Amino acid sequence: ADWKKQATMMKSILVATAIAGCSAFAPAQTGKATTALNAFESELGVQPPLGFFDPLGLLDEAGQKRFDRLRYVGIKHGRIA
């Protein structure tokens, strides 16, 4: 009886581990870009599937002038991917 309880527990742990492992490979849910980022969607260098890529959020509240300045500085210092 004790070994049946242990076997059931091990099967439960195995199933839980398999489910957790499978969920790691599920596609991530992505949201729509905010309105501020949509302003830069037509700029040079914006490519699918990412669109406008700003991982540090430097342009969250920025306007066209700030975008142009950061683009200029990035080109000047060779920070082009």
Side-chain angles (χ1 to χ4, degrees):
D2 189 39
W3 63 273
K4 283 186 178 182
K5 186 184 257 185
Q6 287 180 347
T8 303
M9 183 179 289
M10 290 301 289
K11 287 179 185 178
S12 299
I13 291 172
L14 183 63
V15 169
T17 303
I19 291 172
C22 290
S23 67
F25 296 103
Q29 294 180 353
T30 57
K32 282 288 243 180
T34 62
T35 309
L37 295 181
N38 286 338
F40 305 115
E41 283 295 325
S42 62
E43 291 293 332
L44 181 66
V46 175
Q47 299 178 9
L50 296 178
F52 178 70
F53 185 62
D54 183 26
L56 299 177
L58 296 174
L59 296 171
D60 285 347
E61 300 295 325
Q64 188 66 39
K65 187 174 180 181
R66 173 88 172 136
F67 176 84
D68 292 340
R69 173 69 181 151
L70 289 176
R71 170 71 52 98
Y72 168 77
V73 171
I75 292 171
K76 177 182 175 184
H77 295 286
R79 296 186 183 120
I80 306 273

